[in-house]
Amino acid sequence: MPDIYSKCLGNVMRVNVGPLGGNLLEVAVVTNNSVIPLTPSLASQCGFSMKTDQLGNTVIYASLQNCFAQNVADKAFTTTLNLRLHGNRMVEDELYQVAETCHYTSWASREIVCDRSYMEASECNRTLRGHVAVYMISGFISPMNTGVRITTLVFFTPVEKVMKVAEAQRRGYGIANTATRLLLRSPHGSPETYTQNVAGVPMTVLKTSIIFEKKWLATQIDAAAACPSLEGSVSFTPNTISWFLPRHIDPLVSSGHFRLLEVHMGVDGQRLDPAEMAARGYTLSVNDVYIVVEIPIGAVGGYFKSRVQDDHYYTYYAIEPMLEVLWTEETTHEDTRYKVLFPITTPLLSRPPQVIDNTVPMERMFKVLLGPLGSDVALMNIAFPSEVLSVADCNVRGFNVLEHMSPNSSTKVFTLNVPFTDRVVLQMSEKGVTVYSLHLTFGLLVLPEFAPFSHTAYLETKLMDIVPPSVSGGCDHQSFYVLVKYGTLNFQTVVGKRMLTPVLAQQYGFVENGTHTSFAVPFTAPDVVFEGSSIRTRLEVVLRNPETNKIVKEFSMACSFYSTLTECFPNGTMTALAVKLESVPSLNPSQLTLRDPTCRPSYSDDSYAYFVFTGSSCGTTRKFLQNMMLYENEISLPAENKLMYFLFLVTSSTDFIKLKVSCYYDINKTHAVAFHPRPRRSEPYAKNARGELQITMRLALDDSYSAFYTGDDYPIIKYLQQPLYFEVELMRSSNPEVSLELENCWATLDEDRTTQPRWNLLINGCVNPVDPSQVIFHPVLADARARYPSHFKRFEVNMFAFAEDKDNLSRQLFVHCDTVICDARNPLGGVCNGQCSNQENRIKGQRRAVSDGQTFTHVSSGPILVCLFTTQQSWPNKFMTSQHL
């Protein structure tokens, strides 16, 4: 269904219909229950005109005083039209009816309309004022008052020419009078019109005297109209249309004294305000001689239309500007409203389509743009030397033919992409260069005339034959060796996950000779990854296109890792190297420890952790064999980190966080040790106040710390989550400058403090951050028993249990603590400074920490048994698995 709407524009009504979609539009007028088809001659005689643009949008103009309007007191005018769309034989015609009532009361003494099909003059009928209208159409007179009628017209051509009314109507003139108006309408080109040059502008002039008769009385009223012609009033430049209308239209002004009251400009009968004119680029100016309108070619409001002549493509620009002028004559004090709807068409412009080659050879595809073309041009097919393809066939072949319309829908372009690999593309190779060529002819049609024309194009591009670079390499016992051979493509080298920058290239011994590059990457480099249970190293090298970031070449090689992970020295020192495997990217090697969690790596980075320890430290165990002595330790994650990394592991491969370190020593082997004595530099001496200190750990009955369990009470039985109140005391010391500090506290299943599993309660003086129920410190106040509060430490732990699994809980645990004795006179850092970032969250009261020298010792509790019979079901999550993760 087309879009149909009507609008009143002053003394003209406009009806918009469209787009028609190739259908034929038939217009008829409905009056007195009759339908009268509007032929071209009847339309110009009765005040109708019609135009259609290049897209099939149609505009119908109707004078308010048209022959078929229902006129109510010259104030309301109703026009009813039937619009019939004729389709093909397979589809029924569509019929629409439009009725519009326009109200117009601001009549001037004289109103003149210059339409594309007719000129119209409406005069104020003072002579017949008080009489009812007499209307005549095509020789038929319909008197509403038989006392007054129009009998004769006198045309001035400029020679007088007398014509009876019936004759004038047969020649196409429209003549009517109402209670207040007299109307004369003439088709353009009528024999009774003549041309008059007004200020250099040719104008078609119609001058008449209309004679009325009533019995023996005759009355004469003059009526005149003058309309500009296209030739002489319009000038063109390549970019602008200039329209000149005389300011003083001599045939219409009876005296030399008149005053211009209003000047308005519009398009298609619609007035435009200054802001809209400026937005479209229109200008309107008035000087002493002319009213001048300037319109950019291609501006909004007009359209381009295509035309074909001898297979050549032309376009013209069409627009219908409007000028509405109001003036008054000072001698007669009568005003004139003058409206011109002036269709302008530029001369034919030869604008052959342009073919723009947007091909990028590296994309291996011809990219073609054809245009600009008018919006009424359709692409039907494309002919190649070997075949002709419709647009649909082209898209099936992957040519991606697209139509792109300009923002104002005045022009369009077509684009298509033809791969170099398609058979319509010709190829010729020579000396490493391939020439690709494409011959094509576009088959085009101008609508709705279906005028065919064509445009031929030839495209050619050259492309160097692509030779990708290649990568090879090998390895020895300590490094990977990489060799890159150049091709024709530019590339950037990525080693591992890092770009090979000049700094990194220097570290890897980069060498370049114009055709090849080579470099060596040590097994221990950060770009090397480790894989497998039997440790192997792998290096990946990727060559990328710097422009597209696409991978040009990938290369990977793996080699066995020959470095020694464990070394055993005669003096009992042991070293171990823990390597981070590719399968655990989230592992932080710096978090690895020996059996004693305080023994951390001597050096670590993102890939390694290196440990140095002795056979008597860090939880190292000793076992006697037949002729050997075996020292063993383990590298693993602390218990609180195992749970975190367990999420990233496959249950069948968890050994990566548990590395056993073993050293065997031959018992019967002797080593010669050389030494050289030197004189003593000073005499031995002893420091004051040195002696034995005794540390004890007790378990209090409650948080008052006034009563404690004795040795006979062990093992002590507690429910899960029931609080345990521990007190650690420095015995037999009366020095107030000395303080007792807790460095590490933990729980085990056995009395041996080095056994696994273990659960950390305090780490380096701080509560364990991953413990869901953290340690709470209690302040110590001076009393009869605690004379020196700095010699005491009191803390609270909720009872928990170790578990082999959730259904098999261990019922016994031991608590151990490493302590430090600090002297405030000589601070040495560590826990003696009392600095802990987590301590503020959980500590009750203040902790006094002073340090001088430091004395290390440890204490342990007796066995504590967990009672599982009443609290096991409500136990939320505080348990520690004894399984090694």
Side-chain angles (χ1 to χ4, degrees):
M1 174 180 176
D3 188 15
I4 301 174
Y5 63 93
S6 57
K7 190 172 186 180
C8 300
L9 304 172
N11 54 9
V12 175
M13 182 185 83
R14 187 180 73 188
V15 180
N16 290 72
V17 185
L20 300 181
N23 295 320
L24 179 65
L25 176 63
E26 178 185 282
V27 182
V29 181
V30 180
T31 180
N32 296 327
N33 296 322
S34 300
V35 178
I36 302 174
L38 274 180
T39 62
S41 59
L42 182 59
S44 60
Q45 182 181 22
C46 287
F48 293 90
S49 65
M50 185 170 67
K51 70 169 186 176
T52 302
D53 66 14
Q54 87 288 6
L55 297 177
N57 298 300
T58 299
V59 179
I60 303 168
Y61 295 98
S63 170
L64 294 190
Q65 294 181 281
N66 67 77
C67 301
F68 308 102
Q70 297 179 15
N71 184 344
V72 179
D74 285 336
K75 294 181 180 180
F77 305 86
T78 302
T79 301
T80 304
L81 300 178
N82 274 1
L83 308 177
R84 184 180 297 275
L85 292 179
H86 294 280
N88 54 47
R89 296 180 180 178
M90 304 299 293
V91 181
E92 293 184 1
D93 295 348
E94 300 177 30
L95 179 63
Y96 307 96
Q97 188 173 90
V98 178
E100 183 71 41
T101 298
C102 296
H103 298 272
Y104 188 67
T105 58
S106 57
W107 289 103
S109 300
R110 175 172 58 180
E111 302 222 354
I112 299 171
V113 176
C114 296
D115 185 84
R116 62 169 52 228
S117 299
Y118 60 87
M119 59 177 64
E120 176 182 283
S122 176
E123 300 277 350
C124 178
N125 190 346
R126 292 185 179 85
T127 304
L128 299 178
R129 189 166 291 175
H131 296 272
V132 183
V134 178
Y135 214 98
M136 292 160 284
I137 305 173
S138 301
F140 173 72
I141 302 176
S142 176
M144 297 183 201
N145 184 336
T146 57
V148 178
R149 65 191 183 92
I150 302 173
T151 60
T152 307
L153 284 82
V154 180
F155 294 94
F156 301 93
T157 63
V159 180
E160 290 187 11
K161 185 176 182 180
V162 180
M163 191 179 298
K164 292 296 182 180
V165 171
E167 177 64 23
Q169 289 178 338
R170 282 194 297 271
R171 295 195 178 197
Y173 291 99
I175 307 159
N177 71 285
T178 68
T180 61
R181 309 296 296 182
L182 171 65
L183 179 74
L184 174 65
R185 187 180 297 112
S186 170
H188 287 303
S190 297
E192 286 70 37
T193 60
Y194 64 93
T195 301
Q196 180 178 339
N197 191 298
V198 180
V201 175
M203 302 194 75
T204 302
V205 180
L206 175 67
K207 276 192 174 184
T208 64
S209 290
I210 301 174
I211 299 174
F212 296 82
E213 292 183 2
K214 182 180 181 182
K215 295 183 179 179
W216 58 85
L217 179 65
T219 303
Q220 176 178 313
I221 296 178
D222 295 332
C227 296
S229 61
L230 182 62
E231 295 182 1
S233 62
V234 178
S235 65
F236 301 97
T237 67
N239 300 311
T240 306
I241 299 171
S242 299
W243 174 26
F244 299 87
L245 181 70
R247 186 174 186 269
H248 187 284
I249 302 176
D250 298 337
L252 303 179
V253 180
S254 58
S255 67
H257 301 284
F258 83 106
R259 185 156 51 96
L260 199 60
L261 302 178
E262 297 178 7
V263 179
H264 303 281
M265 182 201 169
V267 172
D268 294 336
Q270 175 73 55
R271 282 187 187 180
L272 299 176
D273 58 38
E276 182 64 23
M277 290 173 56
R280 298 187 181 192
Y282 302 163
T283 59
L284 173 64
S285 60
V286 181
N287 56 40
D288 293 338
V289 182
Y290 299 108
I291 301 171
V292 183
V293 174
E294 291 186 331
I295 301 172
I297 294 178
V300 175
Y303 60 90
F304 284 100
K305 184 70 181 77
S306 303
R307 181 168 294 178
V308 177
Q309 292 182 357
D310 300 328
D311 201 38
H312 288 84
Y313 177 71
Y314 298 88
T315 63
Y316 63 83
Y317 176 72
I319 191 170
E320 188 168 9
M322 178 194 75
L323 272 176
E324 188 174 344
V325 184
L326 179 65
W327 71 77
T328 182
E329 297 188 48
E330 297 180 358
T331 56
T332 62
H333 301 289
E334 292 184 344
D335 52 354
T336 299
R337 177 171 283 107
Y338 182 78
K339 179 184 286 188
V340 185
L341 287 82
F342 197 65
I344 299 175
T345 301
T346 65
L348 287 178
L349 304 173
S350 177
R351 291 187 174 177
Q354 301 296 314
V355 172
I356 300 176
D357 185 358
N358 294 320
T359 303
V360 178
M362 293 300 297
E363 296 179 2
R364 307 185 65 80
M365 179 180 295
F366 280 108
K367 293 186 175 182
V368 187
L369 183 145
L370 174 68
L373 296 162
S375 57
D376 55 351
V377 174
L379 176 62
M380 304 307 294
N381 55 53
I382 303 176
F384 301 95
S386 59
E387 55 189 321
V388 178
L389 300 177
S390 67
V391 173
D393 292 337
C394 289
N395 287 326
V396 170
R397 285 273 283 274
F399 293 175
N400 194 25
V401 180
L402 297 175
E403 176 184 292
H404 309 269
M405 194 72 72
S406 64
N408 61 0
S409 300
S410 61
T411 60
K412 66 172 64 170
V413 298
F414 295 97
T415 60
L416 74 153
N417 302 329
V418 181
F420 287 177
T421 55
D422 194 90
R423 61 177 177 267
V424 300
V425 177
L426 303 179
Q427 301 182 23
M428 183 176 65
S429 299
E430 183 179 358
K431 296 182 179 180
V433 177
T434 301
V435 179
Y436 299 89
S437 59
L438 179 65
H439 299 257
L440 67 168
T441 300
F442 298 94
L444 303 152
L445 275 182
V446 175
L447 303 174
E449 297 87 350
F450 292 95
F453 70 103
S454 61
H455 187 78
T456 300
Y458 172 76
L459 292 85
E460 180 180 288
T461 189
K462 298 179 180 180
L463 186 64
M464 296 286 294
D465 292 342
I466 297 177
V467 180
S470 61
V471 185
S472 59
C475 56
D476 57 14
H477 64 284
Q478 61 182 4
S479 297
F480 290 98
Y481 297 93
V482 181
L483 180 67
V484 179
K485 181 180 179 181
Y486 296 160
T488 58
L489 298 177
N490 292 328
F491 62 88
Q492 292 176 331
T493 305
V494 180
V495 181
K497 296 182 178 180
R498 295 192 295 175
M499 190 71 66
L500 187 63
T501 62
V503 174
L504 187 61
Q506 185 177 8
Q507 295 176 6
Y508 290 164
F510 183 88
V511 177
E512 193 268 342
N513 66 0
T515 60
H516 295 75
T517 59
S518 63
F519 53 91
V521 180
F523 286 171
T524 56
D527 300 306
V528 176
V529 296
F530 295 84
E531 59 184 16
S533 55
S534 59
I535 299 179
R536 290 169 56 86
T537 54
R538 190 180 79 252
L539 178 67
E540 294 183 351
V541 178
V542 176
L543 307 183
R544 288 186 179 274
N545 187 321
E547 298 177 357
T548 63
N549 202 36
K550 292 183 179 180
I551 296 176
V552 177
K553 188 71 175 181
E554 290 182 284
F555 177 74
S556 177
M557 56 180 169
C559 296
S560 298
F561 186 74
Y562 295 107
S563 297
T564 302
L565 298 180
T566 303
E567 288 189 277
C568 308
F569 296 92
N571 64 355
T573 300
M574 303 167 65
T575 65
L577 182 67
V579 180
K580 175 181 175 180
L581 298 183
E582 183 186 23
S583 58
V584 283
S586 59
L587 177 67
N588 183 356
S590 66
Q591 295 179 338
L592 296 172
T593 68
L594 294 170
R595 278 182 182 153
D596 186 343
T598 63
C599 293
R600 296 186 175 275
S602 300
Y603 168 80
S604 65
D605 58 17
D606 189 54
S607 302
Y608 306 96
Y610 182 69
F611 294 87
V612 179
F613 57 99
T614 65
S616 59
S617 66
C618 298
T620 306
T621 60
R622 182 177 61 180
K623 183 185 295 185
F624 288 93
L625 304 178
Q626 184 174 3
N627 295 314
M628 307 287 291
M629 184 179 292
L630 171 63
Y631 290 87
E632 287 186 318
N633 208 319
E634 290 178 353
I635 299 174
S636 64
L637 280 174
E640 60 270 17
N641 297 112
K642 289 183 180 181
L643 294 176
M644 183 188 314
Y645 286 104
F646 187 73
L647 301 175
F648 300 98
L649 300 180
V650 179
T651 55
S652 62
S653 59
T654 61
D655 290 340
F656 81 98
I657 54 173
K658 184 178 179 182
L659 176 65
K660 181 170 290 189
V661 181
S662 302
C663 281
Y664 293 87
Y665 288 92
D666 190 345
I667 296 177
N668 299 323
K669 189 175 182 179
T670 59
H671 291 272
V673 179
F675 66 95
H676 299 281
R678 60 178 177 81
R680 181 182 296 161
R681 294 180 179 179
S682 61
E683 292 297 323
Y685 67 95
K687 288 186 177 181
N688 295 331
R690 284 198 174 270
E692 293 185 0
L693 295 175
Q694 182 177 351
I695 307 295
T696 184
M697 176 187 286
R698 291 186 289 265
L699 183 62
L701 298 178
D702 53 37
D703 60 357
S704 67
Y705 291 92
S706 59
F708 299 88
Y709 293 102
T710 64
D712 295 334
D713 296 327
Y714 288 93
I716 298 169
I717 300 175
K718 293 287 183 179
Y719 292 110
L720 287 172
Q721 299 296 312
Q722 186 175 356
L724 304 174
Y725 302 99
F726 289 96
E727 179 184 84
V728 183
E729 180 186 357
L730 172 62
M731 309 288 289
R732 301 176 184 177
S733 174
S734 60
N735 185 355
E737 298 295 331
V738 173
S739 69
L740 170 69
E741 302 296 337
L742 300 180
E743 184 176 40
N744 299 292
C745 291
W746 65 97
T748 62
L749 291 174
D750 300 324
E751 188 174 2
D752 184 357
R753 62 194 299 271
T754 64
T755 59
Q756 296 286 343
R758 62 181 273 166
W759 182 257
N760 290 327
L761 303 175
L762 298 177
I763 303 173
N764 295 327
C766 302
V767 298
N768 185 355
V770 300
D771 192 343
S773 176
Q774 296 183 351
V775 170
I776 298 176
F777 284 97
H778 290 274
V780 182
L781 302 177
D783 56 21
R785 191 175 68 84
R787 292 181 56 195
Y788 305 104
S790 63
H791 295 181
F792 291 82
K793 281 291 176 288
R794 293 170 179 171
F795 62 92
E796 174 186 337
V797 179
N798 289 337
M799 183 61 187
F800 62 94
F802 289 88
E804 294 295 333
D805 52 53
K806 289 186 178 181
D807 297 323
N808 186 17
L809 301 180
S810 173
R811 300 185 181 181
Q812 176 177 284
L813 61 82
F814 293 80
V815 175
H816 315 272
C817 285
D818 289 334
T819 62
V820 180
I821 308 302
C822 304
D823 191 338
R825 294 168 299 179
N826 186 19
L828 294 178
V831 295
C832 289
N833 287 335
Q835 296 178 353
C836 178
S837 60
N838 300 325
Q839 135 180 338
E840 293 182 359
N841 298 331
R842 300 293 296 174
I843 296 179
K844 295 182 179 179
Q846 300 292 324
R847 187 180 78 176
R848 176 171 178 254
V850 295
S851 61
D852 182 5
Q854 295 181 352
T855 301
F856 299 90
T857 185
H858 67 268
V859 290
S860 300
S861 73
I864 305 172
L865 301 183
V866 59
C867 182
L868 304 177
F869 302 110
T870 61
T871 61
Q872 184 174 357
Q873 298 303 318
S874 61
W875 184 31
N877 56 8
K878 174 95 182 235
F879 67 91
M880 175 63 192
T881 178
S882 62
Q883 179 183 358
H884 290 276
L885 299 181

